[in-house]
Amino acid sequence: MGCARRVPADLNASPGPTTGPGLRSAPGAGDAGAPVGETWRHAPYPVLVADRRGVLTGLNEAARQYLPRAARGDRLRDLAPSWLAEAHHRLAEARSPGGGDVPAGHLGDRFFEAHPTPAGDGRVVWWLIDRTDALQAETALHSARTRSEMLSGIASTLLSTLNVPRCMEVTASLAAQHLAEGAVLIAPPQGRRHQLTYAARGTGAVQVTQQVDTRSVPGLAEALQGFPPVPARWLNPDDIPDWLIPEGFTGPVGSVIVTPLPGHGVPAGALVLLRSGTEKAFTEGEEAFARLFAARAGAALSAARLYAEQSAITATLMRELLPPKLGSVHGVEYAGNYRAATDQERIGGDFYDVHPGSDPSRETLVVLGDVAGKGLDAAVLTGKIRNTLQALLPLADDHQRVLSLLNGALLSSHQTRFATLVLASVRRGDEGVHLRLTSGGHLPPLIIRADGTVEEAPTHGTLVGALPQVRARTIETVLAPGEICLLYTDGITEARGGPLGEELFGEERLRRALAGCAGMPAEAVVEHVQMLAFQWLRSGGHDDMAVVAIGAARSGGPPTVAGAKDGMNL
Amino acid sequence: MSPLSLTHRDTVAGPVLLVAGELDFVHAAELRRQVEGLVLHAGQCLVLDLSGVEFCDSTGITALLAARQHALAAEAEIVLAAVPAHLERILTIVGLVQVFTLRATAEDT
């Protein structure tokens, strides 16, 4: 029972005329030669007087309350708790009040510190100061500190993941580790099923999704709806349905807490904490702590759930806005590459599409364009343009009409946000690939001939979406095997960098580079152009960049209709 | 990059805005704001002197289109003066050379 405690400074400083150091200024104290007087008999604290051999020579009324059978002449070792007897023995041997450690221990059901005052005749007066309440306060403070440390640890663990299932696992595991022997997290229903996360102390979390009757647990249905927590209560073990008992939970259920996990406006689920009959029931403090824990867990869970929802929405939208993968269609090679202006965004204001003809005798429509502006706003308009063009596919025989109709559709919604684009209708013929090209205010396509000459397709027209009328001129050309038609956006030619850092890549440089690409397959040309533009950029930022190459493959004529049934071979 | 500089003066025929520097994503909005703040009367002519424009991208074109919109709304005319070759090439590509009136100098001769 005994222990030697270093008394904290704040406890020594507590008020009271006879506590701690105050004793040393009492009459007689500090004067080892003074005889033991009689005033101690009236002290309001238990006082014992013992001689050098440990024989009790006196005790006051207050001491008698705790040691009713003590009498003068008894040995301390027999009547007093061992911590006090040993402290007296040490003091008698050392003939000094000793170091800073004040002897302390229990006497009956109270906790005392013992302060000695040595007298001249070798006797020692032991003043016993009741520290029970201070000890309780200290214990409470310690446990509050432990909990707050635990809570902040829990919070950082919980917030370190934005993955919903992981977040639920962490919550259940932490709860089973710190709050109860078993924990079950019940997520809000999806349809008629709940995702359940079980954890028992010392085991990992287990997740299952199943249909359960939440009304079978008193308070659970309410907690799932976010009603105020149901107080902890003794539950008849028969009231706990089997599905609520985590695997690895030992013994019958003793006490249970059901608490909601409050989310952002909507409940994030409910947490059930279970303790077996052999463990203590939840105290009021523990229940409050459980609610605090639930609040943290609920906030973390809803953050994770919101994030999951938003990233799913973003992913869905992005999928619609991302450029397609290109391959070979009806004996014509297509290759494309796209780089959004910012590395974080995979979408932007440039776009391209390849709409395969229904059979090899029909034209495939290729579109590449650029919406003024950057980022998501621009990307949304590219989506609108791409959808509109898809609807206009049956009219693709007449590029100018397609551009006029697109212009009308864009004018109605966006005032000055315009787009420029190139339409290319492509069909493989016997002598090569037939192209019809129309620029709607876009950079004219470049054609790499087999001999290395680079031609600018002499098509021009008005940008779309800004003016009431648009005009455009369509040109026709044929690509011999090995020749390439390149559609690109100004992100390539306006790439700024080079040896001086401020120079534009420019159309001239692009043409010279393309002259060296004669005979290369479409994919290689696209990669080469992207690589050159990127090398030119050095570290600076850049606009969206899109490149599409249309190539007449060297080998093979038009494929059979059957082989092209799917339209595109990726 | 040289930033955009805008100098405004009034003539009998209408305001003249000297535009110099870069009409890019960062700076074009400035031209747009300034133009939309100009008070134009019916029959006046807004002249944008573009002799000092070093670079113009799609947002620059947007600003020019907004200027045109602003002039038309006031029943005024708009003239692009002293357009550098590189900008004229861009205006040709996007099909705006027919839409805008281009003039060699800012002075009405």
Side-chain angles (χ1 to χ4, degrees):
Chain A
M1 288 294 273
C3 63
R5 294 165 60 248
R6 187 173 291 279
V7 177
D10 54 341
L11 289 182
N12 271 339
S14 61
T18 52
T19 57
L23 273 176
R24 302 203 176 102
S25 60
D31 181 358
V36 177
E38 291 300 312
T39 50
W40 56 267
R41 291 191 182 282
H42 310 293
Y45 298 104
V47 178
L48 301 171
V49 184
D51 66 13
R52 196 171 293 153
R53 290 167 300 143
V55 174
L56 189 67
T57 61
L59 74 168
N60 69 355
E61 266 315 301
R64 207 175 289 281
Q65 279 184 13
Y66 295 98
L67 302 167
R69 287 186 216 136
R72 294 176 64 161
D74 286 350
R75 299 174 67 83
L76 268 187
R77 198 179 304 150
D78 302 327
L79 72 98
S82 59
W83 63 269
L84 184 57
E86 280 162 20
H88 182 81
H89 179 69
R90 278 200 306 276
L91 188 64
E93 291 288 298
R95 293 172 178 272
S96 77
D101 281 353
V102 177
H106 281 90
L107 189 60
D109 58 354
R110 308 293 289 176
F111 186 85
F112 289 92
E113 275 174 13
H115 294 268
T117 312
D121 53 6
R123 287 190 294 168
V124 176
V125 184
W126 285 100
W127 305 78
L128 302 184
I129 313 297
D130 191 336
R131 284 294 194 190
T132 313
D133 294 341
L135 180 71
Q136 278 172 353
E138 220 184 316
T139 310
L141 181 69
H142 179 72
S143 89
R145 277 188 188 150
T146 311
R147 280 179 183 174
S148 106
E149 275 165 25
M150 194 201 296
L151 212 53
S152 82
I154 285 168
S156 58
T157 313
L158 280 172
L159 290 172
S160 65
T161 176
L162 280 174
N163 174 308
V164 177
R166 173 81 191 121
C167 204
M168 295 198 283
E169 278 178 14
V170 168
T171 302
S173 301
L174 285 171
Q177 195 181 329
H178 298 295
L179 301 171
E181 287 161 274
V184 187
L185 195 161
I186 298 106
Q190 289 182 315
R192 300 177 64 186
R193 292 147 72 88
H194 291 267
Q195 186 163 19
L196 307 171
T197 309
Y198 294 97
R201 186 167 295 171
T203 67
V206 180
Q207 277 178 338
V208 293
T209 301
Q210 66 182 61
Q211 200 171 330
V212 292
D213 184 8
T214 53
R215 284 166 306 176
S216 60
V217 184
L220 178 57
E222 292 88 336
L224 275 172
Q225 285 166 16
F227 287 127
V230 182
R233 49 174 140 179
W234 293 95
L235 286 182
N236 185 339
D238 298 340
D239 283 351
I240 303 293
D242 286 342
W243 64 263
L244 205 60
I245 313 290
E247 207 171 303
F249 183 85
T250 47
V253 175
S255 58
V256 177
I257 289 180
V258 178
T259 177
L261 299 173
H264 300 299
V266 286
L271 184 66
V272 176
L273 302 174
L274 305 113
R275 282 187 181 173
S276 67
T278 56
E279 188 154 302
K280 280 187 303 179
F282 292 101
T283 64
E284 228 169 83
E286 283 172 327
E287 195 198 327
F289 182 66
R291 286 185 202 172
L292 221 51
F293 172 83
R296 299 276 168 105
L301 257 174
S302 356
R305 207 161 267 148
L306 268 179
Y307 175 78
E309 275 170 20
Q310 290 188 349
S311 57
I313 291 168
T314 312
T316 308
L317 291 175
M318 292 272 267
R319 213 165 28 243
E320 283 298 303
L321 295 172
L322 280 174
K325 283 188 176 149
L326 303 186
S328 170
V329 184
H330 301 329
V332 181
E333 274 181 43
Y334 298 91
N337 196 316
Y338 177 63
R339 277 282 182 100
T342 46
D343 289 337
Q344 290 81 12
E345 294 174 51
R346 291 188 294 146
I347 53 175
D350 289 3
F351 61 95
Y352 59 78
D353 272 312
V354 173
H355 302 282
S358 51
D359 65 65
S361 69
R362 309 296 285 266
E363 287 178 328
T364 291
L365 181 69
V366 182
V367 186
L368 174 136
D370 180 1
V371 169
K374 296 180 189 181
L376 199 57
D377 281 348
V380 168
L381 188 54
T382 68
K384 180 171 182 180
I385 292 172
R386 289 168 70 183
N387 286 344
T388 308
L389 285 171
Q390 185 148 30
L392 294 174
L393 277 179
L395 307 174
D397 284 349
D398 185 347
H399 284 180
Q400 283 144 73
R401 194 161 168 224
V402 168
L403 290 177
S404 284
L405 290 168
L406 177 64
N407 186 55
L410 297 182
L411 264 184
S412 55
S413 57
H414 294 268
Q415 287 193 327
T416 51
R417 175 154 282 181
F418 64 86
T420 69
L421 68 161
V422 179
L423 302 179
S425 287
V426 187
R427 185 175 55 83
R428 175 107 201 189
D430 292 334
E431 67 280 32
V433 172
H434 291 261
L435 287 177
R436 289 192 301 119
L437 298 168
T438 310
S439 159
H442 198 83
L443 289 161
L446 296 173
I447 294 163
I448 312 166
R449 294 301 181 190
D451 62 0
T453 29
V454 177
E455 295 171 10
E456 184 179 288
T459 168
H460 46 81
T462 326
L463 47 79
V464 294
L467 301 165
Q469 298 292 326
V470 295
R471 284 179 298 184
R473 175 167 176 249
T474 303
I475 64 115
E476 292 188 23
T477 187
V478 176
L479 296 180
E483 295 184 337
I484 296 277
C485 174
L486 190 80
L487 318 181
Y488 65 99
T489 59
D490 60 7
I492 298 286
T493 44
E494 285 172 9
R496 202 186 280 264
L500 301 172
E502 276 294 292
E503 208 176 341
L504 296 183
F505 186 62
E507 288 169 53
E508 254 324 294
R509 221 178 306 266
L510 176 61
R511 283 172 184 231
R512 282 204 299 276
L514 290 178
C517 292
M520 281 164 65
E523 198 157 334
V525 174
V526 166
E527 278 190 16
H528 189 64
V529 169
Q530 286 276 8
M531 188 198 72
L532 285 179
F534 253 81
Q535 284 179 345
W536 189 257
L537 278 173
R538 301 188 159 213
S539 59
H542 62 91
D543 201 354
D544 300 327
M545 292 179 175
V547 185
V548 167
I550 303 165
R554 280 189 183 281
S555 56
T560 60
V561 177
K565 201 178 171 191
D566 294 334
M568 194 179 292
N569 310 310
L570 299 179
Chain B
M1 288 188 202
S2 45
L4 184 70
S5 96
L6 300 168
T7 319
H8 168 229
R9 70 188 153 95
D10 281 311
T11 67
V12 187
V16 176
L17 202 59
L18 179 65
V19 185
E22 315 227 341
L23 278 180
D24 62 2
F25 189 75
V26 184
H27 300 105
E30 221 172 300
L31 172 64
R32 199 169 163 166
R33 252 197 316 278
Q34 183 121 356
V35 166
E36 282 170 359
L38 288 178
V39 179
L40 285 171
H41 302 292
Q44 277 194 319
C45 179
L46 166 64
V47 177
L48 297 181
D49 184 334
L50 304 176
S51 55
V53 172
E54 292 161 23
F55 175 79
C56 178
D57 69 5
S58 61
T59 42
I61 299 294
T62 309
L64 294 181
L65 283 168
R68 180 176 176 275
Q69 205 63 38
H70 183 65
L72 295 185
E75 294 179 26
E77 284 181 65
I78 182 165
V79 165
L80 305 184
V83 179
H86 66 89
L87 183 51
E88 190 168 344
R89 158 120 180 110
I90 292 169
L91 290 175
T92 309
I93 289 171
V94 297
L96 292 180
V97 266
Q98 296 96 339
V99 172
F100 281 102
T101 307
L102 271 58
R103 214 157 61 194
T105 65
E107 315 313 320
D108 192 4
T109 48

